[in-house]
Amino acid sequence: MAFPAQRPRRLRTTAQMRDMVRETRLSPSDFILPLFVASDKDAERPITAMPGCKVLSGKPLIKYAKKIRDHGVPAILLFGIATRSEKDLTASTASGSDGPVQTALAQLKDAVPDLVLIADLCLCEYKSDGHCGILKDGQIDNDATLERIGAIATAYARSGADVIAPSGMMDGMVQAIRTALDADDFKNTATMPYSAKFASALYGPFKAGTDSSPEVGLHHTHQMDMANGREAMREIALDLDEGADLIIIKPALPCLDVIRDARERFSVPIAAYHVSGESAMIRAAGERGFLDADKVMMESLVCIKRAGADMIITYSALDAIAQLQR
Ligand code: PBG
Ligand code: ZN
């Protein structure tokens, strides 16, 4: 029998009742915080295109990492910011011994061992042409890129990375990394590919902030078409076959259906990346007084978890934790 026997509002009468029946709860352990590191000593400078984010290294980096850990965040995701002179056509800085990410990993592993260190792996941050792969005749050569990806993964693992997160959407990238890591006895270093990374204008602030926009856009030849949900399941299945331990879906809010489908089909942990543009939209609307940015951010994060994400990669992790504790 429906109404009047059924009255869902009975369970919403008080804050305590609503708290009791709440299905999804955010906690600090849900979050992964992206960090940007450079190779100059003790750097601490804001990234204009991404308010609240900084480029860090050395002492300020360690201090911030400890703060993150003290707030209960289990993991950070490292991105390298390379100078012009650190960039070339093969992304050699990414596989050398003193690249920004390698240096940061070694310092963090030593100073904050109780933080999971995830290293984003792509060539674009280190290539003078800004592309995610090695070019041949104006196109990205998938297999030549895989060789570089394997070498970079080994350099990151050697420096202390617990997890390698390849973000270039090259075919076979997980296998290339797994093979390289296992050959070097890094059997316990995990892989966390961006399995379903869609080509999106929502990465705009990140690209402006990290100076990694390519001269000629080839992103659509490797990142997925936003229109394709079934293809995302195929990409995830392939990465898992190649040995992926965790997967990333990105961006987050436009992909809640993909997150849900993946949750139902696969049993690995799923991370959703709430990207720079998603964060910027909320912040900008809040600054103009159109909405309450803090509340909209919390709604966004809880809905990403409700859709099925186990972890959320977000620039707002510390702000969200402050709100949870309020
Ligand atoms: C590539 C990478 C990008 C982002 C994460 N990893 C940029 C891109 O693919 O163009 C975007 C993240 C964001 O927008 O917050 N290394
Ligand atoms: Zn890239």
Side-chain angles (χ1 to χ4, degrees):
M1 208 215 312
F3 184 81
Q6 300 274 5
R7 287 184 185 269
R9 289 186 62 215
R10 286 183 198 121
L11 300 184
R12 300 178 203 139
T13 47
T14 65
Q16 292 69 29
M17 187 74 88
R18 294 191 291 276
D19 190 34
M20 184 180 80
V21 302
R22 187 160 295 124
E23 297 176 28
T24 309
R25 286 169 213 274
L26 291 169
S27 89
S29 58
D30 295 328
F31 302 125
I32 298 173
L33 189 67
L35 289 189
F36 300 90
V37 298
S39 52
D40 47 321
K41 200 170 172 278
D42 298 334
E44 183 169 20
R45 34 192 153 82
I47 302 177
T48 320
M50 302 171 76
C53 295
K54 283 177 180 174
V55 177
L56 297 163
S57 72
K59 290 197 192 80
L61 171 67
I62 300 299
K63 191 172 167 211
Y64 193 50
K66 285 182 174 161
K67 177 174 164 184
I68 294 165
R69 178 214 42 207
D70 292 345
H71 278 73
V73 175
I76 56 176
L77 172 62
L78 291 178
F79 290 96
I81 305 290
T83 60
R84 279 279 133 81
S85 66
E86 287 174 318
K87 297 186 188 194
D88 57 24
L89 288 173
T90 58
S92 60
T93 296
S95 55
S97 56
D98 56 358
V101 168
Q102 296 88 308
T103 306
L105 284 167
Q107 293 172 344
L108 289 164
K109 187 55 50 207
D110 182 53
V112 205
D114 46 351
L115 202 52
V116 178
L117 303 179
I118 309 174
D120 181 275
L121 193 170
C122 196
L123 272 53
C124 52
E125 285 119 287
Y126 307 95
K127 286 195 83 224
S128 41
D129 60 16
H131 287 297
C132 298
I134 302 294
L135 290 199
K136 197 173 178 187
D137 303 327
Q139 295 299 316
I140 291 173
D141 182 335
N142 190 89
D143 300 8
T145 303
L146 293 184
E147 271 180 47
R148 292 296 301 133
I149 288 177
I152 298 168
T154 308
Y156 288 174
R158 187 168 294 127
S159 304
D162 300 300
V163 183
I164 309 290
S167 59
M169 289 292 284
M170 292 297 125
D171 295 332
M173 65 186 184
V174 174
Q175 186 183 71
I177 292 171
R178 195 66 270 158
T179 305
L181 291 177
D182 290 354
D184 235 320
D185 214 19
F186 292 115
K187 293 187 175 57
N188 288 326
T189 307
T191 61
M192 183 183 195
Y194 292 70
S195 298
K197 173 171 174 177
F198 290 87
S200 170
L202 288 167
Y203 312 147
F206 178 101
K207 284 188 194 172
T210 60
D211 188 25
S212 63
S213 357
E215 283 161 8
V216 207
L218 287 176
H219 279 86
H220 290 87
T221 68
H222 47 97
Q223 297 177 1
M224 284 183 51
D225 188 325
M226 272 288 199
N228 297 355
R230 291 190 301 267
E231 189 186 349
M233 297 306 113
R234 181 182 185 212
E235 283 282 4
I236 295 168
L238 289 171
D239 282 354
L240 294 178
D241 271 351
E242 292 175 28
D245 300 289
L246 321 102
I247 59 157
I248 303 175
I249 294 169
K250 166 183 166 187
L253 285 186
C255 297
L256 294 184
D257 57 330
V258 175
I259 295 168
R260 168 53 56 91
D261 285 354
R263 173 73 297 141
E264 283 171 4
R265 270 181 221 218
F266 305 107
S267 49
V268 283
I270 297 171
Y273 198 145
H274 191 250
V275 302
S276 60
E278 296 181 82
S279 172
M281 290 193 289
I282 297 173
R283 183 182 284 265
E287 281 169 6
R288 292 192 59 184
F290 290 141
L291 47 74
D292 182 329
D294 284 348
K295 290 208 172 91
V296 174
M297 179 58 75
M298 295 309 275
E299 289 171 13
S300 302
L301 298 174
V302 83
C303 292
I304 293 165
K305 185 167 180 181
R306 191 195 66 211
D310 300 287
M311 297 93 77
I312 306 172
I313 304 170
T314 170
Y315 304 100
S316 303
L318 296 187
D319 292 342
I321 291 167
Q323 285 200 67
L324 289 173
Q325 287 160 354
R326 217 167 273 163

